[in-house]
Amino acid sequence: MVNRVHTDPERLWSRLMDMAAVGATPAGGSNRQALSDDDRAGRDLFVGWAEQAGCSIELDGVGNLFARRDGTDPDALPVVLGSHLDTQPTGGRFDGVYGVLGGFEVVEALNDHSVRTRAPIEVAVWTNEEGSRFPVSMMGSAVWAGVLPLDQVRAITDRSGISVGDELDRLGWAGTAAFGKPLRAYLELHIEQGPILEASGSSIGVVTGVQGIRWFRVTIEGFPAHAGTTPMDRRRDPSRPLGLALSGLHDMAAAHAPQVRLTPAMFASEPVSSNTVPDHITFTIDMRHPDAATLESLDAELRSLIAQAAEAHGCQHQVEVINDCAPVVFDDECVRAVESAAQRCGIAYERIGSGAGHDACHVALKAPTGMIFVPCEDGLSHNEAESIEPEAAGRGAEVLLHAALDLADTAT
Ligand SMILES: [Zn+2]
């Protein structure tokens, strides 16, 4: 079967470059932090394009924006394509932006070819995905999906004391569209932000889900004593169980390779002194795995390793969970729509899990959801040097178009 409709990779690339010029940094990246004037300028640029393409614009109460191209069936649920336009302070040109402008390229391609879909197509711009200025990431989609209440989010302040609510009101972004409306499907196109596709040579990652993330804070208690006068065999030094626990944790991670991710960090000892045996040592562990049951068993193994290490050296310890995001498994129909679109386009693909969180994780709680990854240079992201090939950008948008057409045509 030959595809009749195509995206325009040059138009997409020039839009990406136009958007990158808003809040451009000297090192070649973008700085459009959430709800700032630069974020507004980026959105205004997008809204101008969307209105020119005949889309109607809606905002919900947390500023999530939906640009809608009507379908032929007024009762059909929309197929939503999107991501975010806000960036890290030293962000790249593609993280998030690519999913919004790739989604918009689908709308433009349908206009070019005068194709009417039965279901409406909407391009979503989620508010504050990055969480760098207002410290909660994937904020807009969290409110949309009912994960966080709007009041709580409006009260979050930046370092200068300005709140999300202040900025939503100032920018006129506190709209009235309903949160969590039913969708036919949601597809998010994104750069991989990792090295797997580049290494394997696949042009498209058909994303099957997002791994679970659990953060722990560990405290190991010792007994403070003089570093010069206390014989080694009379100490209760928390660095001894720390060493034993770290070695055991890394062995555990190696035994569960390649899917597990384990990152001990933020080591701190008290008192802050080089000639006192520490009273206690604290550290964090970021542990990730795509399978919920395995994450639970790794949690139990982690606790037992730390307990054994502490006990072996006569130390008390505590392990607390400070952040917990369950693994997300994307909708089978959406995954298959992406996969068969890649097949129809003759583009090399592989199934892949996401190591990072995305707005799609929240949307998946409410609607059938899938994601498409394209390779990025050296897997680099959250960096001004973040880079993708124009051809790679074009291939991702083409797969998004055909997956969206599949879902929009068969809407019930
Ligand atoms: Zn992103």
Side-chain angles (χ1 to χ4, degrees), residues 34-36 61-62 127-143 147-169 362:
L35 300 163
S36 65
V62 73
T127 301
N128 186 28
E129 193 277 344
E130 296 291 356
S132 44
R133 178 181 175 201
F134 296 103
V136 56
S137 58
M138 304 179 279
M139 182 188 87
S141 56
V143 175
V147 173
L148 291 174
L150 178 61
D151 287 356
Q152 184 183 324
V153 159
R154 282 184 62 96
I156 297 169
T157 53
D158 69 6
R159 275 181 292 274
S160 59
I162 299 170
S163 73
V164 168
D166 293 339
E167 290 293 59
L168 285 171
D169 296 341
H362 288 143

Side-chain angles (χ1 to χ4, degrees), residues 29-302:
S30 294
N31 177 8
R32 289 189 307 277
Q33 292 183 68
L35 300 163
S36 65
D37 286 344
D38 285 321
D39 192 17
R40 165 157 65 185
R43 281 225 187 166
D44 287 350
L45 183 62
F46 170 72
V47 167
W49 291 333
E51 285 178 339
Q52 229 168 35
C55 294
S56 53
I57 306 291
E58 259 196 336
L59 286 163
D60 68 18
V62 73
N64 295 319
L65 184 149
F66 302 88
R68 179 182 172 103
R69 181 184 194 265
D70 281 329
T72 56
D73 179 352
D75 297 326
L77 301 178
V79 171
V80 179
L81 317 172
S83 195
H84 58 97
L85 290 175
D86 70 307
T87 72
Q88 292 282 321
T90 52
R93 296 175 295 169
F94 306 101
D95 175 2
V97 185
Y98 175 52
V100 173
L101 298 185
F104 182 58
E105 180 54 39
V106 169
V107 167
E108 293 269 70
L110 297 177
N111 285 350
D112 288 348
H113 297 81
S114 305
V115 173
R116 301 293 305 279
T117 52
R118 203 168 70 72
I121 304 274
E122 295 185 10
V123 181
V125 183
W126 304 106
T127 301
N128 186 28
E129 193 277 344
E130 296 291 356
S132 44
R133 178 181 175 201
F134 296 103
V136 56
S137 58
M138 304 179 279
M139 182 188 87
S141 56
V143 175
W144 184 88
V147 173
L148 291 174
L150 178 61
D151 287 356
Q152 184 183 324
V153 159
R154 282 184 62 96
I156 297 169
T157 53
D158 69 6
R159 275 181 292 274
S160 59
I162 299 170
S163 73
V164 168
D166 293 339
E167 290 293 59
L168 285 171
D169 296 341
R170 179 180 74 89
L171 298 166
W173 287 8
T176 55
F179 294 128
K181 66 181 175 187
L183 312 182
R184 167 70 178 97
Y186 174 71
L187 295 178
E188 184 163 349
L189 176 65
H190 209 282
I191 60 168
E192 183 200 340
Q193 304 181 284
I196 292 167
L197 296 175
E198 192 179 56
S200 67
S202 296
S203 295
I204 291 291
V206 178
V207 187
T208 52
V210 181
Q211 64 185 343
I213 305 172
R214 196 167 290 181
W215 288 357
F216 303 86
R217 183 184 295 115
V218 182
T219 306
I220 302 175
E221 286 164 22
F223 188 77
H226 194 290
T229 59
T230 317
M232 297 308 283
D233 61 354
R234 296 191 55 171
R235 299 178 179 205
R236 202 156 75 229
D237 181 343
S239 75
R240 299 200 65 188
L242 172 69
L244 196 57
L246 288 177
S247 163
L249 288 167
H250 284 293
D251 288 348
M252 176 185 88
H256 289 85
Q259 286 194 302
V260 73
R261 301 281 183 279
L262 184 128
T263 309
M266 294 180 69
F267 302 94
S269 66
E270 287 280 340
V272 181
S273 164
S274 58
N275 58 357
T276 299
V277 174
D279 175 73
H280 62 270
I281 292 176
T282 57
F283 65 104
T284 58
I285 304 169
D286 173 319
M287 188 164 74
R288 309 185 185 210
H289 199 281
D291 176 62
T294 310
L295 196 59
E296 287 309 324
S297 76
L298 286 166
D299 177 308
E301 200 175 335
L302 172 151

